[in-house]
Amino acid sequence: MPPPELSDDLVGEFLLRLPPDDPACLLRASLACKRWRRILADPAFRRRHRELHPAPSIVGFLRIVKGDPPYASRFVPNSPASNLPPARDLPGWLPYDCRHGRALFLTTSPGPGTELTYDLVVWDPLTNEQHCLPRLSPSPPTKFEDRLFNAAVLCAAAAEGCDHHHCHGGPFLVAFVWSRSTGLYRPRVTSACVYSSETGVWSEPTSVHHLGMHLDMSPCPAALVGDTLYFRCNWTRAFEFQLGARRLSIVDGPPPSLCQSFVISFMSMGDGELRAMDVEDEPSLCLRLWSREAAPYSDGVARWTRGRAIELETLLPDGALPVSRVPLAPARRIPSVILLGFAEGTDVIFVGTQTRGHRGAVYMVQLNAGRARKVFDKCTLVIPYTSFCIPVTDVASTSERAREGVSSA
């Protein structure tokens, strides 16, 4: 006799445990039969899926690779068993940010004469949908070798407390920040404005004047805390851009006298608070976590507190660190370990190892679990693509009975 049919509850338990870093698994399950499709489309199943997987899943990675000048990018799925293409090259695309199921790139196109012009493009790796943003007017300086600008993409409802479980493919915002000099030995000006996909226009820029500072010249994803973005600048400071108030200001990182790294990385983790991290080399090579207290003191200045140290000797696999390490000081020397990025809303960071004449590798580190694995053989910028997306075919086709005009595919 045929085995008894599994109940909907038991099928749902199986589907809940499909790997969240491979959304294609859920899509294939929804195509198996109308019954499974109905279970996956059930709000109760989606609610349980959020409870079991509260953090966004790392679906893939964006990295810079050699290609058409001046740069090229590659999207690589996180799971080797994923149904996504094994890799996709994007010639002339430079990744700047990934957030809430969207990726942001700087792209090139031929300009007048031999010059190249630059545009911002928002891309959804899961649907291949692209959105090219209109250029700013007047245009900020975008010459590649003088690029003192950065950008971030986010859900349009982030300021209203969106949990980002259902906003995939919805309206989005892009924040653009750039620095320029008013002249030799004069203060710099950093400005910021916001593009809305709902209105299709850029907001009026807001600016702040300062001395001896500019945005980090390398692509470095911003950290989002609430409705505030933090863009790293040189040394150990950041530009704070409050989206709701459209206010741009400068915040200090941990005290330089206590930090051993030449550059501090700002990040936001699963608790929704601003963090900073640097690399220490004494007495052993480790990552140092810093926390910024939300409540300011009576002088109106927030304080940074020194957090736990994460020993790299025991965390990384055997042979990951070079036998003879390159000292971190003075700052112009090559560090043995550098921070490459983080997965927002999770406890995952990316570190790279390197020595003189050797580019090392990239490791994905889960801070709370104390686990690390190598994801790339060469040390390069890594921007993780995360998503809460549960792809399921049209809910209208989840009925057990076949209806006219409804495909059974």
Side-chain angles (χ1 to χ4, degrees):
M1 295 181 62
E5 188 178 56
L6 297 177
S7 66
D8 287 359
D9 291 341
L10 193 53
V11 172
E13 291 296 325
F14 289 132
L15 296 176
L16 283 170
R17 283 153 178 81
L18 290 175
D21 58 355
D22 184 10
C25 286
L26 292 175
L27 180 59
R28 292 195 298 271
S30 72
L31 294 173
C33 63
K34 290 184 177 180
R35 180 176 172 231
W36 284 22
R37 195 178 315 156
R38 173 174 51 79
I39 294 172
L40 287 166
D42 189 346
F45 174 86
R46 292 172 174 261
R47 183 170 57 253
R48 289 210 55 204
H49 193 276
R50 291 195 299 269
E51 294 172 353
L52 190 62
H53 309 288
S57 302
I58 301 177
V59 179
F61 309 100
L62 289 165
R63 57 182 303 208
I64 300 175
V65 296
K66 292 183 179 179
D68 293 345
Y71 42 71
S73 303
R74 177 174 296 166
F75 176 77
V76 181
N78 180 23
S79 173
S82 172
N83 197 42
L84 294 172
R88 176 170 181 177
D89 287 341
L90 305 166
W93 287 34
L94 180 68
Y96 263 77
D97 195 31
C98 263
R99 188 177 289 105
H100 305 157
R102 305 164 183 87
L104 179 65
F105 296 85
L106 184 74
T107 67
T108 59
S109 57
T114 59
E115 296 182 359
L116 295 175
T117 58
Y118 299 90
D119 297 284
L120 291 172
V121 174
V122 174
W123 178 53
D124 186 336
L126 296 184
T127 64
N128 200 33
E129 181 181 359
Q130 300 179 20
H131 188 110
C132 186
L133 276 59
R135 294 177 183 173
L136 287 165
S137 180
S139 177
T142 56
K143 192 176 180 182
F144 182 74
E145 55 268 24
D146 298 327
R147 64 189 193 284
L148 298 179
F149 59 87
N150 207 336
V153 63
L154 66 154
C155 163
E160 285 75 36
C162 178
D163 62 6
H164 311 300
H165 285 88
H166 306 290
C167 64
H168 191 98
F172 62 87
L173 303 176
V174 172
F176 189 81
V177 183
W178 70 97
S179 297
R180 67 184 185 276
S181 176
T182 58
L184 187 64
Y185 304 117
R186 293 182 181 179
R188 285 186 177 271
V189 178
T190 297
S191 305
C193 58
V194 178
Y195 170 82
S196 169
S197 66
E198 295 179 288
T199 63
V201 298
W202 290 94
S203 68
E204 291 296 322
T206 180
S207 302
V208 60
H209 292 71
H210 49 82
L211 286 170
M213 291 176 54
H214 56 74
L215 285 161
D216 194 302
M217 294 184 65
S218 60
C220 179
L224 176 65
V225 179
D227 73 333
T228 303
L229 287 163
Y230 294 87
F231 295 91
R232 190 176 75 186
C233 58
N234 55 337
W235 313 114
T236 60
R237 294 180 174 179
F239 289 102
E240 180 185 73
F241 184 35
Q242 299 178 11
L243 294 167
R246 295 291 195 269
R247 190 172 77 90
L248 187 65
S249 57
I250 299 170
V251 297
D252 291 324
S257 60
L258 298 179
C259 297
Q260 297 189 30
S261 180
F262 183 64
V263 177
I264 294 295
S265 293
F266 293 88
M267 60 188 67
S268 58
M269 305 181 73
D271 55 7
E273 296 185 5
L274 183 65
R275 296 283 190 267
M277 186 171 287
D278 72 330
V279 180
E280 295 183 357
D281 200 35
E282 295 180 359
S284 62
L285 194 60
C286 67
L287 301 173
R288 175 67 66 179
L289 193 65
W290 297 81
S291 300
R292 187 170 184 256
E293 296 187 13
Y297 288 76
S298 57
D299 57 4
V301 179
R303 297 287 195 269
W304 287 93
T305 57
R306 200 177 190 187
R308 64 188 176 111
I310 302 163
E311 297 286 341
L312 291 173
E313 295 278 3
T314 56
L315 179 62
L316 297 181
D318 293 340
L321 296 176
V323 177
S324 57
R325 297 200 298 266
V326 182
L328 289 175
R332 61 177 176 270
R333 294 184 181 175
I334 301 175
S336 301
V337 174
I338 56 176
L339 297 171
L340 299 173
F342 66 98
E344 196 169 78
T346 71
D347 67 331
V348 176
I349 65 170
F350 297 86
V351 299
T353 61
Q354 60 181 4
T355 59
R356 293 188 185 276
H358 182 61
R359 297 185 62 184
V362 177
Y363 294 88
M364 184 171 70
V365 177
Q366 294 176 276
L367 297 177
N368 294 335
R371 294 196 298 265
R373 70 177 177 92
K374 184 165 68 172
V375 291
F376 296 113
D377 290 327
K378 292 184 179 180
C379 182
T380 182
L381 173 74
V382 174
I383 301 179
Y385 173 79
T386 61
S387 177
F388 283 106
C389 180
I390 304 178
V392 179
T393 52
D394 189 0
V395 178
S397 63
T398 60
S399 173
E400 293 295 334
R401 294 183 179 179
R403 293 179 297 168
E404 186 179 355
V406 176
S407 171
S408 62

